Amino acid sequence: MVKPSGKTKRDAKTGILDAADEIFVRRGIDGARMQEIADHAGVNKALLHYYFRSKADLARAVWLRIASSFVPGIFQMMASDLPLDDKIDRFVEAYHAKLMRHPYLLAYVVNEAARHPEIVGDFLSAERRRAARRMIRKLRAQIADRTKAKRVAPLSAEQFLVTLAASCLFPFAARPMIASLLGLGPKAVDAFMEQRRKDLPAFLKRAIR
Amino acid sequence: MVKPSGKTKRDAKTGILDAADEIFVRRGIDGARMQEIADHAGVNKALLHYYFRSKADLARAVWLRIASSFVPGIFQMMASDLPLDDKIDRFVEAYHAKLMRHPYLLAYVVNEAARHPEIVGDFLSAERRRAARRMIRKLRAQIADRTKAKRVAPLSAEQFLVTLAASCLFPFAARPMIASLLGLGPKAVDAFMEQRRKDLPAFLKRAIR
DNA sequence: AGACGGTTTAACCATCTGGTTAGAAAGTAG
DNA sequence: CTACTTTCTAACCAGATGGTTAAACCGTCT
C-alpha cells in the first residue's frame, strides 16, 4: 500500500478548510460560492469535492471546527471550581477577545444554527452534553450559595448562564444596529465595546449580589 | 387618464410583500428563491419584477417593513415618561410576544444587518435618529436618578439599553443552541422562555437597584 | 362598441453554480 | 526505471436562478 506524503495532503486539506472557514463566515453558507473558496485557497475547485464530497459536507466540517473553538474551552472553565465572580470575568473577557477579532462569526453562528438546527446537535457529542450538565450543576450550586447567603430571590442557573451569554455575545451580533442607533462610527463602537467589557462583570455581579 | 382599480393593485403588491416577508425571513435573502415567493403569493414570477425591479429591491422593501415593525413603537415607549421599571417590564413583554410568534425573525435581522450594514442606515431616517437620541437622553436621566438615590456606581444609558436588548433578544436568536446545550425539547424551551419573561425584569432591576 | 392604460402571464434567455470526468502531475514502492 | 496510487487540474455538464419579453387580460372612459 502506498502511503501518501501526509504533509502535502494535510496542507491542501487544511488550506481548503481555512479558506472555507473565512468565506462561509463572511458570506454565510448560502451566500458562499465554491469557486471563491477554491480561489481563496489557491486550488482547483474540483479539489474541494475531492476532499469534501459536497458543499454541504464542507460547510458541516467548517461548522464543527468553529463550534469546537467557540464552546468547549469556555464551558470547561465555567464548570471548574473557580469562584463565580472570576468565572464571570473570564467569560466576558474570553468572548470579547474572540469576537473582536472575528466580527462576522456570531452572525454566522446564529444564522446557520437557526436555519439548520440539526447541525447544532451534530456538534454535541455525548461527552459534551455531559460536560454541559456538569457546568450547569456547578453553577447552580455556586448561585444557590450566593442567593442563600444574601437572602436574594432564587435564580435558575440556566437563566443566569443565558443572560451572561446574551450580554456578552449579542452586542457583537447587533453591532451594525448599535452603531446606527447610537450614531457611532467604527472606532466609537470599538470604544463602546471596550467600555462594555469593563463594566459588564460588575453589572452582572450586582444582579446576583 | 385611466384609474387602476386600486384595490386589486394594492392586493397584489402587498400580497407579494407578505409572501416575500415570510420567505426571506425563513430562508434568508440569499437562500430565498424568487419562484418560491411567487408561488407563495399565488402570482407569476414576472409580477415580482413588475412591482419590484430586482430581488435586491424586494429584499430591501421587506427589510424596511420589518425594521419599522421592530423598532419605532418600542423605542417611543422607551422615550416616554413612564417609570424606568415599567419600561423594563414593557420592553421584555413586547419583544417576548413578538419573537415567540416569529421564531426566525431575529436570525434574519442579525444576519442581514451584519452582511449588508448599509441597509440598517437606510431604515434610520433623520427623524428616527432624533427619536433614538431622545430615548437615550430620557433613559440617562432616569438611570442617573436611580443610581444617585441608591449610591450605586454610575451606569451608561447606552450600555444599559444594550444589555436590556441583549437579554431579551439573544435567547430567541440562540434558541437552537440553548435547546441543545440544556437538553430541552421544543416545549421545554418554550417553558424556559416563559420563565425568562417572568424573571428577567426583576433580575435587571436588581442590577440597577 | 372600441380604444387605451395598467396588470398579469407563459415562454424564454443568459448566466451562474454545484458537481463530474478524464487525464496529467507527483509521490512511493519494488 | 517501472508500476501503481494519490493528488490535482482543465474542461465540461445539467439544472437552477434572476431577469426579460411579447402578448393576453381587464376595467374604464368616450
Side-chain angles (χ1 to χ4, degrees), chain B residues 5 10 15 22 45 53 88 113 120 124 160-161 166 183 197 202:
Chain B
S5 79
R10 218 190 142 216
E22 197 174 325
K45 179 167 66 94
R53 240 173 273 280
I88 294 174
V120 178
L124 281 179
F160 178 71
L161 181 65
R197 179 180 69 80

Side-chain angles (χ1 to χ4, degrees), chain A residues 77 79-83 87 138 142:
Chain A
M77 182 275 290
S80 75
D81 286 325
L82 278 174
K87 288 185 179 177
K138 183 74 192 175
Q142 291 182 303

